[in-house]
Amino acid sequence: MTCKFTNTCTIHNKNLTLFDELSDEEKKLVEENTLTVSYKKGETICKQGSFASNVMHIKEGLAKVYLESETNNLILKIAPKNSLIGMPSIYEGNNTAVYSVATYTESVVDLIDMKVFQQLLKTNAKFAFRALNIMNENIIQIYGRFFCISNKQLHGRIADILLCLKNRVYKSNTYEFAFSRSELAELTNMSTESVIRVMKNFKDDGLILQKDKTLEILNAEMLSKISNLG
């Protein structure tokens, strides 16, 4: 039996229906205990090890979820619009954030009070079931991402990210490329020099066209073959 993971930067970007399971009274409770904050590119939304006071809903923008160490960061996933992050911090006896979150672009984030979110998980079974589904989808995505990083060659990793942005984040062949070379290197677990070389190869081969901050996918079929073959 074979298992194939592709395009694993983020789970499929679909409408967040979690809060549809709440009653009008519960929705009002959430609204009264939610703070909406605008963040600039590169700002930290949540710091690993800090007090976990909120569950975060990305209303607009793009962010990264990552683990920090003294030497480098490990990117767990990209969080596009409609992502819900911070739920792994909700377990018995924990009161700290288990990862950091920072913006790739200007973003708008709803900060939902953690205690209110926990209360709804305990009292609304349908809400809790939807939340569990979201967490499981994220876990599967992270498994797939690490599989690809550990098994794919350099060209396959870059192709994987470019297609993920095309298919799951921007849903367009042409999109704003919000990543610096160092950020793309961090995301793909590659050196900056390797990223520059692979991106140049893709451009010279007619697979992509990059101008200023815009990237266009010219040959998605070939990028998909590169991603699948690794």
PDB file of all heavy atoms in Angstrom, residues 99-125:
ATOM      1  N   TYR A  99       2.515  26.892  20.635  1.00  0.00           N
ATOM      2  CA  TYR A  99       3.273  27.339  19.470  1.00  0.00           C
ATOM      3  C   TYR A  99       3.120  28.838  19.295  1.00  0.00           C
ATOM      4  O   TYR A  99       2.319  29.478  19.979  1.00  0.00           O
ATOM      5  CB  TYR A  99       2.848  26.604  18.194  1.00  0.00           C
ATOM      6  CG  TYR A  99       1.355  26.533  17.925  1.00  0.00           C
ATOM      7  CD1 TYR A  99       0.551  27.671  17.894  1.00  0.00           C
ATOM      8  CD2 TYR A  99       0.751  25.309  17.655  1.00  0.00           C
ATOM      9  CE1 TYR A  99      -0.806  27.599  17.610  1.00  0.00           C
ATOM     10  CE2 TYR A  99      -0.610  25.216  17.380  1.00  0.00           C
ATOM     11  CZ  TYR A  99      -1.379  26.370  17.354  1.00  0.00           C
ATOM     12  OH  TYR A  99      -2.718  26.294  17.075  1.00  0.00           O
ATOM     13  N   SER A 100       3.924  29.390  18.390  1.00  0.00           N
ATOM     14  CA  SER A 100       3.844  30.808  18.060  1.00  0.00           C
ATOM     15  C   SER A 100       3.084  30.988  16.753  1.00  0.00           C
ATOM     16  O   SER A 100       3.026  30.081  15.917  1.00  0.00           O
ATOM     17  CB  SER A 100       5.239  31.422  17.927  1.00  0.00           C
ATOM     18  OG  SER A 100       5.926  31.437  19.156  1.00  0.00           O
ATOM     19  N   VAL A 101       2.515  32.178  16.575  1.00  0.00           N
ATOM     20  CA  VAL A 101       1.809  32.523  15.340  1.00  0.00           C
ATOM     21  C   VAL A 101       2.243  33.924  14.934  1.00  0.00           C
ATOM     22  O   VAL A 101       2.255  34.842  15.768  1.00  0.00           O
ATOM     23  CB  VAL A 101       0.281  32.490  15.524  1.00  0.00           C
ATOM     24  CG1 VAL A 101      -0.419  32.790  14.199  1.00  0.00           C
ATOM     25  CG2 VAL A 101      -0.177  31.154  16.084  1.00  0.00           C
ATOM     26  N   ALA A 102       2.626  34.098  13.670  1.00  0.00           N
ATOM     27  CA  ALA A 102       3.028  35.406  13.164  1.00  0.00           C
ATOM     28  C   ALA A 102       2.467  35.602  11.761  1.00  0.00           C
ATOM     29  O   ALA A 102       2.191  34.631  11.049  1.00  0.00           O
ATOM     30  CB  ALA A 102       4.547  35.536  13.153  1.00  0.00           C
ATOM     31  N   THR A 103       2.304  36.845  11.360  1.00  0.00           N
ATOM     32  CA  THR A 103       1.671  37.150  10.081  1.00  0.00           C
ATOM     33  C   THR A 103       2.672  37.164   8.930  1.00  0.00           C
ATOM     34  O   THR A 103       3.799  37.640   9.075  1.00  0.00           O
ATOM     35  CB  THR A 103       0.971  38.513  10.135  1.00  0.00           C
ATOM     36  OG1 THR A 103       1.937  39.527  10.463  1.00  0.00           O
ATOM     37  CG2 THR A 103      -0.120  38.519  11.184  1.00  0.00           C
ATOM     38  N   TYR A 104       2.240  36.659   7.776  1.00  0.00           N
ATOM     39  CA  TYR A 104       2.986  36.809   6.533  1.00  0.00           C
ATOM     40  C   TYR A 104       2.548  38.074   5.806  1.00  0.00           C
ATOM     41  O   TYR A 104       3.322  38.658   5.047  1.00  0.00           O
ATOM     42  CB  TYR A 104       2.743  35.612   5.611  1.00  0.00           C
ATOM     43  CG  TYR A 104       3.560  34.389   5.934  1.00  0.00           C
ATOM     44  CD1 TYR A 104       2.941  33.155   6.136  1.00  0.00           C
ATOM     45  CD2 TYR A 104       4.949  34.443   6.000  1.00  0.00           C
ATOM     46  CE1 TYR A 104       3.691  32.019   6.402  1.00  0.00           C
ATOM     47  CE2 TYR A 104       5.701  33.311   6.281  1.00  0.00           C
ATOM     48  CZ  TYR A 104       5.064  32.101   6.472  1.00  0.00           C
ATOM     49  OH  TYR A 104       5.801  30.974   6.746  1.00  0.00           O
ATOM     50  N   THR A 105       1.275  38.456   6.002  1.00  0.00           N
ATOM     51  CA  THR A 105       0.712  39.641   5.366  1.00  0.00           C
ATOM     52  C   THR A 105      -0.074  40.427   6.411  1.00  0.00           C
ATOM     53  O   THR A 105      -0.264  39.957   7.533  1.00  0.00           O
ATOM     54  CB  THR A 105      -0.244  39.246   4.222  1.00  0.00           C
ATOM     55  OG1 THR A 105      -1.377  38.550   4.773  1.00  0.00           O
ATOM     56  CG2 THR A 105       0.438  38.354   3.202  1.00  0.00           C
ATOM     57  N   GLU A 106      -0.538  41.614   6.038  1.00  0.00           N
ATOM     58  CA  GLU A 106      -1.443  42.328   6.916  1.00  0.00           C
ATOM     59  C   GLU A 106      -2.666  41.444   7.162  1.00  0.00           C
ATOM     60  O   GLU A 106      -3.236  40.870   6.235  1.00  0.00           O
ATOM     61  CB  GLU A 106      -1.876  43.653   6.286  1.00  0.00           C
ATOM     62  CG  GLU A 106      -0.753  44.672   6.188  1.00  0.00           C
ATOM     63  CD  GLU A 106      -1.239  46.032   5.710  1.00  0.00           C
ATOM     64  OE1 GLU A 106      -2.450  46.167   5.416  1.00  0.00           O
ATOM     65  OE2 GLU A 106      -0.421  46.959   5.624  1.00  0.00           O
ATOM     66  N   SER A 107      -3.057  41.334   8.422  1.00  0.00           N
ATOM     67  CA  SER A 107      -4.096  40.368   8.788  1.00  0.00           C
ATOM     68  C   SER A 107      -5.052  40.958   9.815  1.00  0.00           C
ATOM     69  O   SER A 107      -4.689  41.867  10.569  1.00  0.00           O
ATOM     70  CB  SER A 107      -3.461  39.088   9.361  1.00  0.00           C
ATOM     71  OG  SER A 107      -2.567  38.499   8.439  1.00  0.00           O
ATOM     72  N   VAL A 108      -6.260  40.428   9.817  1.00  0.00           N
ATOM     73  CA  VAL A 108      -7.277  40.783  10.813  1.00  0.00           C
ATOM     74  C   VAL A 108      -7.654  39.501  11.546  1.00  0.00           C
ATOM     75  O   VAL A 108      -8.006  38.493  10.910  1.00  0.00           O
ATOM     76  CB  VAL A 108      -8.522  41.417  10.165  1.00  0.00           C
ATOM     77  CG1 VAL A 108      -9.566  41.752  11.234  1.00  0.00           C
ATOM     78  CG2 VAL A 108      -8.135  42.666   9.387  1.00  0.00           C
ATOM     79  N   VAL A 109      -7.571  39.537  12.871  1.00  0.00           N
ATOM     80  CA  VAL A 109      -7.748  38.325  13.670  1.00  0.00           C
ATOM     81  C   VAL A 109      -8.759  38.564  14.782  1.00  0.00           C
ATOM     82  O   VAL A 109      -8.694  39.577  15.485  1.00  0.00           O
ATOM     83  CB  VAL A 109      -6.404  37.878  14.294  1.00  0.00           C
ATOM     84  CG1 VAL A 109      -6.579  36.586  15.071  1.00  0.00           C
ATOM     85  CG2 VAL A 109      -5.332  37.725  13.221  1.00  0.00           C
ATOM     86  N   ASP A 110      -9.703  37.635  14.927  1.00  0.00           N
ATOM     87  CA  ASP A 110     -10.619  37.630  16.073  1.00  0.00           C
ATOM     88  C   ASP A 110      -9.965  36.851  17.209  1.00  0.00           C
ATOM     89  O   ASP A 110      -9.608  35.680  17.044  1.00  0.00           O
ATOM     90  CB  ASP A 110     -11.945  36.950  15.705  1.00  0.00           C
ATOM     91  CG  ASP A 110     -12.826  37.826  14.835  1.00  0.00           C
ATOM     92  OD1 ASP A 110     -12.676  39.052  14.892  1.00  0.00           O
ATOM     93  OD2 ASP A 110     -13.667  37.267  14.107  1.00  0.00           O
ATOM     94  N   LEU A 111      -9.806  37.497  18.347  1.00  0.00           N
ATOM     95  CA  LEU A 111      -9.255  36.847  19.537  1.00  0.00           C
ATOM     96  C   LEU A 111     -10.413  36.492  20.453  1.00  0.00           C
ATOM     97  O   LEU A 111     -11.020  37.362  21.087  1.00  0.00           O
ATOM     98  CB  LEU A 111      -8.265  37.777  20.242  1.00  0.00           C
ATOM     99  CG  LEU A 111      -7.111  38.310  19.378  1.00  0.00           C
ATOM    100  CD1 LEU A 111      -6.240  39.260  20.192  1.00  0.00           C
ATOM    101  CD2 LEU A 111      -6.276  37.175  18.797  1.00  0.00           C
ATOM    102  N   ILE A 112     -10.735  35.205  20.519  1.00  0.00           N
ATOM    103  CA  ILE A 112     -11.883  34.722  21.273  1.00  0.00           C
ATOM    104  C   ILE A 112     -11.421  34.250  22.642  1.00  0.00           C
ATOM    105  O   ILE A 112     -10.489  33.451  22.739  1.00  0.00           O
ATOM    106  CB  ILE A 112     -12.576  33.569  20.523  1.00  0.00           C
ATOM    107  CG1 ILE A 112     -12.914  33.989  19.095  1.00  0.00           C
ATOM    108  CG2 ILE A 112     -13.828  33.111  21.264  1.00  0.00           C
ATOM    109  CD1 ILE A 112     -13.299  32.843  18.195  1.00  0.00           C
ATOM    110  N   ASP A 113     -12.050  34.720  23.677  1.00  0.00           N
ATOM    111  CA  ASP A 113     -11.657  34.369  25.036  1.00  0.00           C
ATOM    112  C   ASP A 113     -11.630  32.850  25.212  1.00  0.00           C
ATOM    113  O   ASP A 113     -12.599  32.150  24.913  1.00  0.00           O
ATOM    114  CB  ASP A 113     -12.621  34.993  26.033  1.00  0.00           C
ATOM    115  CG  ASP A 113     -12.204  34.754  27.474  1.00  0.00           C
ATOM    116  OD1 ASP A 113     -11.445  35.581  28.010  1.00  0.00           O
ATOM    117  OD2 ASP A 113     -12.640  33.744  28.056  1.00  0.00           O
ATOM    118  N   MET A 114     -10.500  32.332  25.692  1.00  0.00           N
ATOM    119  CA  MET A 114     -10.308  30.895  25.824  1.00  0.00           C
ATOM    120  C   MET A 114     -11.328  30.253  26.769  1.00  0.00           C
ATOM    121  O   MET A 114     -11.851  29.159  26.498  1.00  0.00           O
ATOM    122  CB  MET A 114      -8.894  30.613  26.327  1.00  0.00           C
ATOM    123  CG  MET A 114      -8.558  29.143  26.497  1.00  0.00           C
ATOM    124  SD  MET A 114      -8.256  28.320  24.927  1.00  0.00           S
ATOM    125  CE  MET A 114      -6.588  28.881  24.564  1.00  0.00           C
ATOM    126  N   LYS A 115     -11.642  30.922  27.867  1.00  0.00           N
ATOM    127  CA  LYS A 115     -12.570  30.353  28.845  1.00  0.00           C
ATOM    128  C   LYS A 115     -13.975  30.218  28.267  1.00  0.00           C
ATOM    129  O   LYS A 115     -14.674  29.237  28.533  1.00  0.00           O
ATOM    130  CB  LYS A 115     -12.587  31.206  30.106  1.00  0.00           C
ATOM    131  CG  LYS A 115     -11.288  31.150  30.899  1.00  0.00           C
ATOM    132  CD  LYS A 115     -11.373  31.983  32.167  1.00  0.00           C
ATOM    133  CE  LYS A 115     -10.072  31.898  32.954  1.00  0.00           C
ATOM    134  NZ  LYS A 115     -10.111  32.720  34.195  1.00  0.00           N
ATOM    135  N   VAL A 116     -14.370  31.206  27.461  1.00  0.00           N
ATOM    136  CA  VAL A 116     -15.675  31.127  26.805  1.00  0.00           C
ATOM    137  C   VAL A 116     -15.695  29.978  25.808  1.00  0.00           C
ATOM    138  O   VAL A 116     -16.665  29.221  25.721  1.00  0.00           O
ATOM    139  CB  VAL A 116     -16.011  32.465  26.101  1.00  0.00           C
ATOM    140  CG1 VAL A 116     -17.245  32.321  25.215  1.00  0.00           C
ATOM    141  CG2 VAL A 116     -16.228  33.560  27.129  1.00  0.00           C
ATOM    142  N   PHE A 117     -14.599  29.827  25.048  1.00  0.00           N
ATOM    143  CA  PHE A 117     -14.502  28.740  24.078  1.00  0.00           C
ATOM    144  C   PHE A 117     -14.576  27.389  24.781  1.00  0.00           C
ATOM    145  O   PHE A 117     -15.283  26.473  24.337  1.00  0.00           O
ATOM    146  CB  PHE A 117     -13.200  28.862  23.293  1.00  0.00           C
ATOM    147  CG  PHE A 117     -13.188  28.106  22.005  1.00  0.00           C
ATOM    148  CD1 PHE A 117     -13.603  28.705  20.824  1.00  0.00           C
ATOM    149  CD2 PHE A 117     -12.752  26.791  21.955  1.00  0.00           C
ATOM    150  CE1 PHE A 117     -13.589  28.014  19.627  1.00  0.00           C
ATOM    151  CE2 PHE A 117     -12.733  26.087  20.772  1.00  0.00           C
ATOM    152  CZ  PHE A 117     -13.156  26.699  19.601  1.00  0.00           C
ATOM    153  N   GLN A 118     -13.869  27.261  25.897  1.00  0.00           N
ATOM    154  CA  GLN A 118     -13.909  26.015  26.673  1.00  0.00           C
ATOM    155  C   GLN A 118     -15.309  25.737  27.199  1.00  0.00           C
ATOM    156  O   GLN A 118     -15.770  24.586  27.201  1.00  0.00           O
ATOM    157  CB  GLN A 118     -12.920  26.110  27.833  1.00  0.00           C
ATOM    158  CG  GLN A 118     -11.471  26.057  27.431  1.00  0.00           C
ATOM    159  CD  GLN A 118     -10.525  26.297  28.600  1.00  0.00           C
ATOM    160  OE1 GLN A 118     -10.742  27.204  29.405  1.00  0.00           O
ATOM    161  NE2 GLN A 118      -9.492  25.493  28.702  1.00  0.00           N
ATOM    162  N   GLN A 119     -15.995  26.770  27.638  1.00  0.00           N
ATOM    163  CA  GLN A 119     -17.360  26.615  28.152  1.00  0.00           C
ATOM    164  C   GLN A 119     -18.278  26.061  27.074  1.00  0.00           C
ATOM    165  O   GLN A 119     -19.087  25.150  27.322  1.00  0.00           O
ATOM    166  CB  GLN A 119     -17.874  27.968  28.639  1.00  0.00           C
ATOM    167  CG  GLN A 119     -19.331  27.953  29.095  1.00  0.00           C
ATOM    168  CD  GLN A 119     -19.825  29.349  29.467  1.00  0.00           C
ATOM    169  OE1 GLN A 119     -19.044  30.206  29.912  1.00  0.00           O
ATOM    170  NE2 GLN A 119     -21.110  29.599  29.280  1.00  0.00           N
ATOM    171  N   LEU A 120     -18.136  26.564  25.854  1.00  0.00           N
ATOM    172  CA  LEU A 120     -18.979  26.104  24.746  1.00  0.00           C
ATOM    173  C   LEU A 120     -18.651  24.654  24.377  1.00  0.00           C
ATOM    174  O   LEU A 120     -19.546  23.886  24.007  1.00  0.00           O
ATOM    175  CB  LEU A 120     -18.793  27.018  23.540  1.00  0.00           C
ATOM    176  CG  LEU A 120     -19.293  28.450  23.713  1.00  0.00           C
ATOM    177  CD1 LEU A 120     -18.887  29.311  22.520  1.00  0.00           C
ATOM    178  CD2 LEU A 120     -20.808  28.476  23.896  1.00  0.00           C
ATOM    179  N   LEU A 121     -17.392  24.280  24.466  1.00  0.00           N
ATOM    180  CA  LEU A 121     -17.010  22.895  24.196  1.00  0.00           C
ATOM    181  C   LEU A 121     -17.677  21.933  25.180  1.00  0.00           C
ATOM    182  O   LEU A 121     -18.036  20.807  24.830  1.00  0.00           O
ATOM    183  CB  LEU A 121     -15.493  22.735  24.276  1.00  0.00           C
ATOM    184  CG  LEU A 121     -14.661  23.385  23.170  1.00  0.00           C
ATOM    185  CD1 LEU A 121     -13.173  23.250  23.475  1.00  0.00           C
ATOM    186  CD2 LEU A 121     -14.975  22.770  21.808  1.00  0.00           C
ATOM    187  N   LYS A 122     -17.841  22.377  26.419  1.00  0.00           N
ATOM    188  CA  LYS A 122     -18.427  21.531  27.457  1.00  0.00           C
ATOM    189  C   LYS A 122     -19.952  21.459  27.374  1.00  0.00           C
ATOM    190  O   LYS A 122     -20.545  20.449  27.772  1.00  0.00           O
ATOM    191  CB  LYS A 122     -18.018  22.059  28.832  1.00  0.00           C
ATOM    192  CG  LYS A 122     -16.537  21.939  29.142  1.00  0.00           C
ATOM    193  CD  LYS A 122     -16.201  22.578  30.480  1.00  0.00           C
ATOM    194  CE  LYS A 122     -14.725  22.484  30.801  1.00  0.00           C
ATOM    195  NZ  LYS A 122     -14.379  23.152  32.089  1.00  0.00           N
ATOM    196  N   THR A 123     -20.575  22.495  26.853  1.00  0.00           N
ATOM    197  CA  THR A 123     -22.041  22.573  26.912  1.00  0.00           C
ATOM    198  C   THR A 123     -22.738  22.339  25.573  1.00  0.00           C
ATOM    199  O   THR A 123     -23.946  22.134  25.534  1.00  0.00           O
ATOM    200  CB  THR A 123     -22.478  23.944  27.458  1.00  0.00           C
ATOM    201  OG1 THR A 123     -21.961  24.985  26.609  1.00  0.00           O
ATOM    202  CG2 THR A 123     -21.960  24.144  28.881  1.00  0.00           C
ATOM    203  N   ASN A 124     -21.988  22.387  24.461  1.00  0.00           N
ATOM    204  CA  ASN A 124     -22.605  22.235  23.138  1.00  0.00           C
ATOM    205  C   ASN A 124     -21.879  21.121  22.395  1.00  0.00           C
ATOM    206  O   ASN A 124     -20.782  21.303  21.877  1.00  0.00           O
ATOM    207  CB  ASN A 124     -22.507  23.564  22.372  1.00  0.00           C
ATOM    208  CG  ASN A 124     -23.277  23.527  21.055  1.00  0.00           C
ATOM    209  OD1 ASN A 124     -23.277  22.538  20.352  1.00  0.00           O
ATOM    210  ND2 ASN A 124     -23.920  24.652  20.723  1.00  0.00           N
ATOM    211  N   ALA A 125     -22.527  19.947  22.324  1.00  0.00           N
ATOM    212  CA  ALA A 125     -21.892  18.764  21.749  1.00  0.00           C
ATOM    213  C   ALA A 125     -21.587  18.928  20.259  1.00  0.00           C
ATOM    214  O   ALA A 125     -20.536  18.498  19.778  1.00  0.00           O
ATOM    215  CB  ALA A 125     -22.781  17.543  21.967  1.00  0.00           C
TER     216      ALA A 125
END
